[in-house]
Amino acid sequence: MPSLGLIGGTGLDHWGEPVQTHAIRGDYGRPSAGLAEYHLGALRLFFLPRHGENHTIPPHAVNYRANIDAFRRLQVGGIVAVNAVGAISSRYVPGTLSVPDQLIDYTWGRAHSFSMNSGDSLQHAEFARPFSGRLHAGLINAAAVAQVNLAAGGCIGVTQGPRLETAAEIQRCKRDGCDLVGMTTMPEAALAREAGLDYASLCVHANWAAGLGDEPVTMAAIDATLKAAMVAARSVLATLFEELCHAN
Ligand code: HPA
């Protein structure tokens, strides 16, 4: 039976009524929540809300290692992560979706590897292409089937948060080549690579990044944009799940 992990971000805290929920406690402490299991045709889906059931865990305090380790223990065939992001390039309009193919990590002080301490088994994960080609292509195909407007490719800069960026920080991200900015793709993507799990990100554009829009960025505006865009994101995901049922 094919299986997939789904990590929900801001605006996607649940998928529906699960068959069962797995309370997993491994070597890295507690994941953000229990992992909810769904049977969608032939697909076993495991859903985890990154910020916890009540959306109380800030990006820098997410236990990314416990989350990825929980998916590894459930032996999922890969992970699709949903990330609310700010848009930097004009191609990525608020309210629409994209699947980035590159990232730049600006985060600091997070437990960012399974090889944190001397004595841990040390690995230097290959990470030139941080997102899985298979799931990345699957998301692009699903958007086409679902007739949802989605930009393929782009670079996401991952900042520390929880505050939003300064206008100068966004200009630096832009000079570095970032098209999008978010707070949660790292170390999640790198840990998935270390764990040997395919990982792709579906980005939901919540706002123009700091200094780029006409108005200051507010959480109220972000939430309103996300609410509408998540309908399209859910449609892409549901289509992907259907395609995965027939793929294996
Ligand atoms: N910056 C970082 N993360 C975000 C943003 C942003 O502007 N919007 C939504 N998540």
Side-chain angles (χ1 to χ4, degrees):
M1 198 175 190
S3 70
L4 184 75
L6 174 64
I7 302 179
T10 303
L12 187 66
D13 286 336
H14 65 92
W15 189 257
E17 201 49 49
V19 174
Q20 60 173 313
T21 299
H22 301 262
I24 293 179
R25 187 87 195 251
D27 299 334
Y28 303 97
R30 225 183 271 280
S32 297
L35 283 89
E37 178 174 350
Y38 301 86
H39 296 171
L40 309 173
L43 180 72
R44 279 172 86 198
L45 177 74
F46 297 94
F47 177 79
L48 178 65
R50 184 187 288 114
H51 299 286
E53 268 152 31
N54 302 312
H55 204 92
T56 50
I57 309 173
H60 60 279
V62 170
N63 190 341
Y64 295 97
R65 297 200 304 171
N67 289 354
I68 296 299
D69 185 52
F71 284 115
R72 174 165 58 184
R73 284 168 186 269
L74 290 168
Q75 299 185 314
V76 297
I79 297 172
V80 169
V82 178
N83 301 91
V85 301
I88 297 176
S89 299
S90 53
R91 193 158 92 84
Y92 302 78
V93 177
T96 63
L97 312 177
S98 63
V99 280
D101 57 8
Q102 275 300 330
L103 65 81
I104 296 178
D105 187 7
Y106 301 99
T107 66
W108 48 269
R110 301 182 182 190
H112 62 287
S113 172
F114 290 113
S115 308
M116 287 297 280
N117 304 305
S118 61
D120 290 346
S121 84
L122 174 61
Q123 61 164 315
H124 298 285
E126 199 284 330
F127 204 44
R129 290 183 175 73
F131 300 105
S132 144
R134 181 179 69 95
L135 291 173
H136 178 90
L139 285 165
I140 293 168
N141 177 63
V145 171
Q147 300 188 315
V148 168
N149 181 14
L150 173 144
C155 179
I156 179 165
V158 190
T159 56
Q160 179 70 355
R163 66 165 176 83
L164 294 161
E165 298 72 31
T166 66
E169 285 168 338
I170 291 301
Q171 288 306 316
R172 178 174 78 144
C173 289
K174 195 172 177 174
R175 283 194 300 277
D176 286 352
C178 298
D179 302 295
L180 305 162
V181 60
M183 300 176 190
T184 49
T185 308
M186 287 295 284
E188 204 172 83
L191 289 165
R193 180 62 56 87
E194 285 188 0
L197 296 172
D198 272 2
Y199 177 97
S201 161
L202 175 63
C203 285
V204 186
H205 313 152
N207 54 282
W208 290 116
L212 299 180
D214 298 330
E215 310 276 331
V217 182
T218 64
M219 276 320 291
I222 287 180
D223 287 343
T225 306
L226 282 181
K227 199 166 179 201
M230 277 303 165
V231 176
R234 279 180 178 271
S235 159
V236 171
L237 292 168
T239 308
L240 174 74
F241 301 156
E242 227 168 88
E243 305 273 322
L244 288 177
C245 285
H246 308 299
N248 297 4

